[in-house]
């Protein structure tokens, strides 16, 4: 009888642990727009099924790409994701240039696009944002990045992938996802207009600045929430509930008319934009001219601690 009781107690404890693990995993997946992400196992199933429309893009450095990448993954990096020429360095590429690049990478208008990078990198969100601004709907990000793929010991390749030319062409632009310096300046006293700065604390307070930005500081009245605040120590997303709480406590709320998101050059801001889209925020815009653009405009005010 005693042995039977101990076995039942052990079984109850084991079931409870498994239930807690299951509930925790469910919480992590509880994003309103979870379809913007794809797991390593889901992507592997698609590769094994041999989907012709599937296009995978690696946005890590060239060196890391050559050390190993997902099967048939094209590579984009650096200047591929920015306009090389322009009054602000690193704006998103012009539609014509991006169309040409996408075709070179074998991407078609009807391609199902999966983007991945390092586990805690904002670059996949940057490319996701560019595709979405240029109205390509079927694009997702690999949850956990290359590290998640490696942990499952799925197949990788080392030789560069050279696809045939695709037919991708930008046919529309979602300008409503972008905002410029003048519009922000006109709304500095608007309580329904929020400027969210996703740079580091040192950049926000004016202790530091980066290249191409001659002035230190921040946009007056902006609030600060570093882009990586939504990630855990391993670089994975925290639970949807916790991320929602982080944004709410920072004042990033759905009742604002506009939430304009900025970073130094738009890359980290794109990660925050993507995260808010996972939570189905619809009042967000990316300030692509970024701190570099604001800093270079001597007619625009700057605030420092």
């Amino acid at each position: 009888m005693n042995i039977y009781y101990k076995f039942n107690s052990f079984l109850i404890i084991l079931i409870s642990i498994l239930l807690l693990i299951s509930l925790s995993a469910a919480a992590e997946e509880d994003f309103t727009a979870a379809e913007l992400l794809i797991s390593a196992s889901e992507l592997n199933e698609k590769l094994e099924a041999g989907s012709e429309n599937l296009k995978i893009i690696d946005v890590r450095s060239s060196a890391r790409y050559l050390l190993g990448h997902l099967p048939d993954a094209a590579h984009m990096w650096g200047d591929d994701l920015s306009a090389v020429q322009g009054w602000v360095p690193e704006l998103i590429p012009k539609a014509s240039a991006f169309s040409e690049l996408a075709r070179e990478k074998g991407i078609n208008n009807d391609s199902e696009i999966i983007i991945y990078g390092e586990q805690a990198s904002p670059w996949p969100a940057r490319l996701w944002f560019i595709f979405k601004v240029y109205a390509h709907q079927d694009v997702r990000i690999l949850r956990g990045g290359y590290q998640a793929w490696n942990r499952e010991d799925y197949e990788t390749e080392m030789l560069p992938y050279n696809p045939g030319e695709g037919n991708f062409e930008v046919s529309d632009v979602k300008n409503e996802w972008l905002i410029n310096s003048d519009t922000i300046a006109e709304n500095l006293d608007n309580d329904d207009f929020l400027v969210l700065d996703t740079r580091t604390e040192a950049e926000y307070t004016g202790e530091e600045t980066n290249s191409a930005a001659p002035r230190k500081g921040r946009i007056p009245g902006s609030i600060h929430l570093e882009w990586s605040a939504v990630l855990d120590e391993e670089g994975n997303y925290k639970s949807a509930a916790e991320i929602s709480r982080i944004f709410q406590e920072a004042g990033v709320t759905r009742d604002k008319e506009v939430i304009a998101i900025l970073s130094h050059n738009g890359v980290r801001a794109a990660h925050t934009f993507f995260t808010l889209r996972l939570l189905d925020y619809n009042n967000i815009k990316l300030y692509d001219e970024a701190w570099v653009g604001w800093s270079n405009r001597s007619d625009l005010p700057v605030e420092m601690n």
Side-chain angles (χ1 to χ4, degrees):
M1 185 69 178
N2 190 37
I3 294 175
Y4 178 78
Y5 175 78
K6 287 182 177 179
F7 176 78
N8 276 343
S9 297
F10 172 77
L11 192 60
I12 291 170
I13 292 171
L14 179 61
I15 292 172
S16 299
I17 291 172
L18 291 173
L19 181 60
L20 285 172
I21 292 172
S22 175
L23 289 173
S24 175
E28 288 182 2
E29 296 291 338
D30 194 26
F31 291 113
T32 308
E35 69 276 4
L36 300 180
L37 293 165
I38 186 171
S39 69
S41 60
E42 290 173 312
L43 178 54
N44 188 59
E45 288 176 5
K46 287 180 175 293
L47 279 171
E48 289 181 340
S51 173
E52 293 183 4
N53 285 341
L54 184 65
K55 301 295 180 183
I56 303 174
I57 306 174
D58 184 315
V59 293
R60 298 175 301 150
S61 69
S62 299
R64 289 188 178 276
Y65 175 77
L66 292 174
L67 287 173
H69 54 82
L70 271 64
D72 295 344
H75 183 246
M76 292 187 184
W77 178 245
D79 290 346
D80 291 337
L81 308 181
S82 306
V84 178
Q85 296 179 341
W87 81 273
V88 176
E90 300 180 16
L91 291 171
I92 65 172
K94 292 182 178 180
S96 58
F98 187 70
S99 294
E100 183 178 352
L101 171 68
R103 288 194 295 270
E104 289 175 359
K105 302 300 179 179
I107 297 169
N108 299 315
N109 291 325
D110 64 347
S111 289
E112 177 186 5
I113 300 170
I114 309 298
I115 306 166
Y116 75 91
E118 301 295 346
Q119 186 167 327
S121 170
W123 284 98
R126 176 65 167 178
L127 182 55
W128 173 89
F129 181 82
I130 295 169
F131 271 115
K132 296 294 278 187
V133 163
Y134 287 145
H136 191 87
Q137 298 303 314
D138 198 355
V139 53
R140 288 187 281 174
I141 292 177
L142 175 62
R143 179 187 285 273
Y146 187 71
Q147 287 81 353
W149 186 264
N150 258 345
R151 278 194 295 272
E152 299 296 332
D153 200 29
Y154 292 137
E155 181 185 354
T156 59
E157 298 174 349
M158 296 183 69
L159 292 176
Y161 175 61
N162 295 306
E165 186 168 340
N167 62 22
F168 183 86
E169 187 72 40
V170 173
S171 58
D172 194 12
V173 182
K174 296 183 72 171
N175 286 311
E176 66 272 19
W177 277 17
L178 294 164
I179 196 165
N180 61 28
S181 301
D182 290 331
T183 303
I184 291 178
E186 292 166 1
N187 284 278
L188 291 181
D189 296 325
N190 183 351
D191 291 338
D192 288 327
F193 191 101
L194 179 69
V195 179
L196 173 60
D197 192 319
T198 66
R199 297 176 297 160
T200 65
E201 180 76 18
E203 289 173 292
Y204 177 75
T205 59
E207 295 175 36
E208 296 177 359
T209 189
N210 288 318
S211 62
R215 295 191 292 167
K216 297 180 180 180
R218 61 181 176 270
I219 296 176
S222 61
I223 66 170
H224 178 249
L225 182 65
E226 190 166 346
W227 72 277
S228 58
V230 299
L231 304 177
D232 63 21
E233 293 179 355
E234 294 181 352
N236 294 309
Y237 270 121
K238 296 175 181 178
S239 71
E242 187 172 0
I243 293 173
S244 293
R245 178 186 59 77
I246 289 169
F247 282 122
Q248 290 288 327
E249 291 180 354
V252 184
T253 55
R254 299 176 190 273
D255 62 333
K256 297 294 182 181
E257 181 182 347
V258 172
I259 300 171
I261 309 167
L262 79 124
S263 56
H264 178 70
N265 58 9
V267 177
R268 289 172 287 180
H271 187 277
T272 299
F273 188 101
F274 179 80
T275 305
L276 287 168
R277 284 298 304 135
L278 284 173
L279 298 172
D280 204 29
Y281 273 66
N282 293 308
N283 57 342
I284 53 177
K285 296 180 184 290
L286 192 141
Y287 176 38
D288 197 41
E289 293 168 15
W291 178 249
V292 171
W294 191 274
S295 177
N296 274 281
R297 287 267 304 265
S298 59
D299 61 313
L300 298 177
V302 169
E303 188 175 73
M304 292 180 63
N305 279 9

